[in-house]
Amino acid sequence: MTSSVLPGFWAVVPAGGAGTRLWPLSRAAAPKFLHDLTGAGRTLLQSTWSRLEPLTGPERLVLVTGRPHADAVRAQLPALAEANLLLEPSPRDSMAAIGLAAAVVLRRDPDAVVGSFAADHVIGDVEAFRDVVRQAVAVARQGWVVTIGIEPTGPATGFGYVRAGEALDVEGAPTAVRAEEFVEKPDAATAAAYVAAGGYRWNAGMFVSRADVLLGHLQREHPELAGGLDRIAAAWDGPHREAVLEEVWPGLTRIAIDHAVAEPTAARGGVALVPATFDWDDVGDWDSLAALLPGADEGTAVLGEGHVVALGGRGVVVPGSGRTVAVVGLDDVVVVDTPDAVLIVPRSQAQRVKQVVDALREAGRADLL
C-alpha cells in the first residue's frame, strides 16, 4: 500500500457489455475489456486496475462482471480479492451493477466513498486522472454525487454532455463546480453549439459518491430497485447469496445510473462536476481505436501478433487467425481477421459494425456473437 491510498475510498469497476462495434474481436464471450486494444502489453481491464489500485489498495477494489467472465477476470487480475469479485447472474444495466457494489460495500464500511470507473476506457495521463479522482472524493465526502467531465475535443454525437455551473468551495477540490444538468446524446448541430458555447463536458460515466448518499438517491427515485439491491447485499457475504440472487435479481429494474440517479439528482442541485485534465477515450468503435494506434494515419498499424503485408495505404490490420493478411493501397480501412469471421470496413463507416452484429443475431448466428 502506498501513501497515495485514499482512506475509505472504494473503486467499483463494472465490466460488462459485448463491445459490439469492435466485432469480430470483441464478442459476448470475450468483450473488449479483456483484450489489449492499444498494444500496451496489457488488457484494458488490467490498465484500469493499474490506474485505480494505488488509490484504494487491492482490498478496496471491487469488480462487477457477468458469471461467464469470472475465470478470465481472475486470470488477468490475480490480486483481486475473491470477496470483491461480484458476479451478476444476467445483465441488468449499470445501476444494478454499481448499486449492488455500493450496497455490499456499505455493509462492510458504513463510511465508504465509492467511485465507479468502466473497465474498458483508455486514459492518457494516469497521474492527472488520480488527481481528479482525489478531488472527486473530497467533494463526495461533503454529500455530493460527483461526475468527472471530459473536455470535448470536437462536437461528438456519441456521448452525453454535462453542463457545468458555478464553482464550489470544497477544500481539496479547487476545480469542482456544480453540474447543472445532464443532456442526452445530441444531434450534430446541437453538439457543435455546445462545444462553441463552452461550459459543457462529455459524460464519461464516472461517478463518485458516499455509498449511503448514492443509495439514498436511488431509494428516492427507484425504491423497488433499491430495496432489491439491499436484500441481495444483506445476503451477499452469507450462505444464502445464491438463493436470494435467483429470487430477486431477475426482477430488478434495468436502467442506467445516469437516468436512475445522476439526471434527477442534478435537477435537484445535488451533483457536482470535477473537470478532467487527462486524455480519455471509450474505444467505442474501430475508428476511435485507430486514432489511438501510432502509425494508423501514416501507414498500417498492426494490432496483435501475426503476419501482415501492407503495401501503401493507411489503416489498421488485426491478424488473429494465423493466416497472412495482405492489404494493398487501401486508405483509412480496418481489417480484422479471426478464425471464424473477417471484417473489412472503412473507418468512416465504423459505427455500422453494430448493424452487422444485429444482422447475425437476426440470422440466428449466436456462434459468431
Side-chain angles (χ1 to χ4, degrees), residues 348-365:
S348 61
Q349 298 291 310
Q351 284 283 315
R352 297 186 63 190
V353 172
K354 186 178 184 298
Q355 297 174 23
V356 175
V357 176
D358 293 340
L360 291 170
R361 183 176 293 108
E362 291 176 7
R365 292 301 307 271

Side-chain angles (χ1 to χ4, degrees), residues 259-270:
H259 304 318
V261 169
E263 293 172 4
T265 304
R268 293 197 306 271

Side-chain angles (χ1 to χ4, degrees), residues 154-199:
T157 59
F159 305 127
Y161 287 71
V162 187
R163 182 162 62 89
E166 64 185 5
L168 298 178
D169 183 15
V170 177
E171 184 178 356
T175 69
V177 300
R178 186 185 299 272
E180 296 292 344
E181 66 172 336
F182 288 78
V183 185
E184 291 288 338
K185 296 176 182 178
D187 57 31
T190 303
Y194 288 164
V195 174

Side-chain angles (χ1 to χ4, degrees), residues 75-117:
Q76 291 195 10
L77 302 178
L80 175 65
E82 187 64 26
N84 290 348
L85 177 58
L86 309 188
L87 300 179
E88 300 175 293
S90 61
R92 304 306 297 170
D93 217 321
S94 62
M95 189 67 255
I98 297 166
L100 172 61
V104 169
V105 166
L106 183 62
R107 289 180 174 270
R108 297 175 182 174
D109 180 357
D111 298 319
V113 172
V114 295
S116 173
F117 307 92

Side-chain angles (χ1 to χ4, degrees), residues 227-315:
L229 292 173
D230 185 62
R231 282 190 62 195
I232 296 171
W236 193 266
D237 290 325
H240 304 299
R241 175 197 301 177
E242 293 305 318
V244 175
L245 268 175
E246 183 177 350
E247 177 188 352
V248 178
W249 188 266
L252 295 180
T253 303
R254 190 165 187 163
I255 187 172
I257 188 173
D258 310 67
H259 304 318
V261 169
E263 293 172 4
T265 304
R268 293 197 306 271
V271 178
L273 181 149
V274 175
T277 55
F278 48 84
D279 293 333
W280 167 89
D281 201 292
D282 72 341
V283 202
D285 60 26
W286 286 109
D287 179 51
S288 63
L289 177 58
L292 296 174
L293 297 176
D297 291 327
E298 294 80 30
T300 300
V302 178
L303 181 61
E305 297 181 359
H307 188 210
V308 175
V309 177
L311 303 177
R314 302 185 304 272

